[in-house]
Amino acid sequence: MSDLFSKIKEVTELQAISGHEAPVRNHLRCKMQPFVDRVETDGLGGVFGIKNSQLADAPKVMVAAHMDEVGFMVSHIQADGTLRVVEIGGWNPLTVSSQRFTLYTRQGNKIPVISGAMPPHLIKGTASLPAISDIIFDGGFTDKADAEAFGIRPGDVIIPQSETILSANQKYVMGKSWDNRFGILMVTELLEKLQDTPLPNQLIAGATVQEEVGLRGAKVATNQFDPDLFFAVDCSPAGDVYGDQGKVGDGTLIRFYDPGHLLLPNLKDFLLDTAEDAGIKYQYYCGKGGTDAGASHLQNAGVPSTTIGVCARYIHSHQTLYALDDFLEAQAFLQDLIKKLDKGTLDLIKSY
């Protein structure tokens, strides 16, 4: 088992949905502390390590993953002991049925739950796309009182249960939550690799909360730390097997557009020049969803922002597929960007 895969397995098998990010926050804080001057937390639970520069005019550069993955929250306990839920983050209803989950009670108890699927014998040609609110979650309880006796209450969280494994050719990984444990691992690897490197900027690297429910944590973190430049590190959906943009294995992404963010021309030039000078494998990407860059660039007086990322197949489900090499390209790219970002470079990016 490779060192990189071991790290991926560790971070992706953590379970933490929006608003309940403590397992990832604790992991990240522990990994960051040896490599930064201090660790700070924002008011919603985002956590960032600060690596100071020796230069008086050093710009502040923020690198932000997000801790949360998609999941569910109990909305009702039915009389028969089954559960109904609300979705936390975006789900395709077709991926939800017949899967394993872990339910966490207020007391911290971990309870196995599965999502129900109607057998073909009962469908009788009347099947239609289900609403998330109609999907049955079943822990094998005999009735509502039995479920409540185990401490289950509305508001408890239900999180995908999935083992992270390697593909047969050892090039790809399969499992949950690469969106966005990719970013968490990017941050910890960045800080470790740059621990002995003097930087021309003050590096603020860590992770936000509640990205999957509206980019909420990025607004808070950007306001608190007031960076001059913001890099989201995030995973985007690959469209390669559907004949669309974003191919697994083709390198890091130059994400030039999404519905909430336009890449500034001078920042785009900086990204492309850096990638080409360093021999980074990259691909152009037009996003259909958003990242924390979309929230951060509108904060304070406006913060030049972009996303450093990779793509993965079948995200927001129990089983995502992605390339080990893409992570390595993205990590090398991010390190080169951070090492080059001095005040003069920032001034050029912001010369409108």
Side-chain angles (χ1 to χ4, degrees):
M1 184 182 297
S2 72
D3 182 54
L4 175 57
F5 174 70
S6 296
K7 293 175 180 178
I8 290 173
K9 185 175 177 68
E10 178 185 19
V11 74
T12 54
E13 290 184 359
L14 294 172
Q15 292 183 298
I17 68 168
S18 308
H20 297 77
E21 294 96 344
V24 176
R25 180 165 46 248
N26 294 340
H27 168 90
L28 185 55
R29 183 183 283 118
C30 178
K31 295 289 186 181
M32 291 193 304
Q33 280 178 331
F35 308 121
V36 297
D37 295 300
R38 64 187 184 278
V39 175
E40 295 185 15
T41 306
D42 66 40
L44 288 184
V47 63
F48 289 85
I50 316 297
K51 182 176 168 64
N52 292 325
S53 173
Q54 300 302 310
L55 302 179
D57 62 350
K60 293 192 289 186
V61 177
M62 192 169 191
V63 176
H66 68 83
M67 299 180 224
D68 52 321
E69 63 186 292
V70 294
F72 301 93
M73 187 173 284
V74 176
S75 59
H76 297 87
I77 305 172
Q78 303 293 94
D80 62 6
T82 61
L83 311 171
R84 301 298 184 272
V85 303
V86 292
E87 61 185 310
I88 305 299
W91 281 91
N92 175 352
L94 294 175
T95 71
V96 178
S97 296
S98 300
Q99 300 288 348
R100 290 179 57 202
F101 298 84
T102 303
L103 184 152
Y104 287 83
T105 69
R106 181 175 169 228
Q107 294 76 25
N109 296 326
K110 297 166 61 175
I111 295 175
V113 171
I114 62 172
S115 51
M118 186 176 290
H121 317 68
L122 304 181
I123 293 176
K124 298 180 180 178
T126 61
S128 60
L129 187 67
I132 295 294
S133 58
D134 295 329
I135 295 174
I136 296 167
F137 284 73
D138 196 337
F141 302 109
T142 56
D143 53 28
K144 182 177 181 180
D146 189 24
E148 290 178 337
F150 282 86
I152 298 174
R153 298 292 186 274
D156 289 342
V157 297
I158 296 177
I159 305 177
Q161 180 74 46
S162 179
E163 180 186 5
T164 303
I165 60 174
L166 273 171
S167 63
N169 60 15
Q170 309 287 290
K171 295 180 179 179
Y172 303 94
V173 182
M174 305 173 188
K176 72 170 184 68
S177 70
W178 196 227
D179 177 14
N180 185 28
R181 306 299 157 68
F182 157 77
I184 299 299
L185 188 56
M186 282 283 286
V187 166
T188 57
E189 289 291 287
L190 176 72
L191 290 172
E192 182 175 357
K193 295 296 190 297
L194 297 182
Q195 61 178 305
D196 298 320
T197 304
L199 296 178
N201 52 70
Q202 182 188 61
L203 178 60
I204 306 162
T208 66
V209 297
Q210 299 190 39
E211 190 269 357
E212 296 291 2
V213 290
L215 315 182
R216 298 173 187 178
K219 300 171 187 176
V220 174
T222 306
N223 276 296
Q224 175 163 324
F225 294 101
D226 193 23
D228 296 298
L229 193 71
F230 181 97
F231 289 111
V233 277
D234 207 343
C235 174
S236 300
D240 50 1
V241 293
Y242 304 106
D244 203 348
Q245 206 167 34
K247 184 175 181 181
V248 171
D250 268 13
T252 191
L253 308 181
I254 302 295
R255 188 183 173 111
F256 59 88
Y257 167 90
D258 69 47
H261 182 263
L262 296 173
L263 181 56
L264 296 174
N266 292 343
L267 182 51
K268 181 180 178 182
D269 288 343
F270 172 60
L271 296 179
L272 289 171
D273 289 346
T274 301
E276 290 167 3
D277 289 347
I280 301 297
K281 188 177 182 180
Y282 68 86
Q283 57 185 306
Y284 289 99
Y285 189 84
C286 181
K288 295 180 173 63
T291 74
D292 276 341
S296 67
H297 84 290
L298 299 177
Q299 303 308 301
N300 305 337
V303 182
S305 302
T306 190
T307 302
I308 306 302
V310 297
C311 59
R313 295 174 186 164
Y314 328 122
I315 68 170
H316 286 216
S317 75
H318 278 66
Q319 305 298 341
T320 300
L321 185 144
Y322 47 94
L324 290 166
D325 283 350
D326 285 349
F327 177 86
L328 297 174
E329 294 292 334
Q331 178 61 212
F333 187 32
L334 183 58
Q335 289 182 39
D336 283 335
L337 292 169
I338 297 302
K339 286 188 267 190
K340 291 177 68 173
L341 267 166
D342 56 16
K343 186 177 184 301
T345 302
L346 178 67
D347 290 344
L348 286 173
I349 289 170
K350 296 178 73 173
S351 60
Y352 306 120

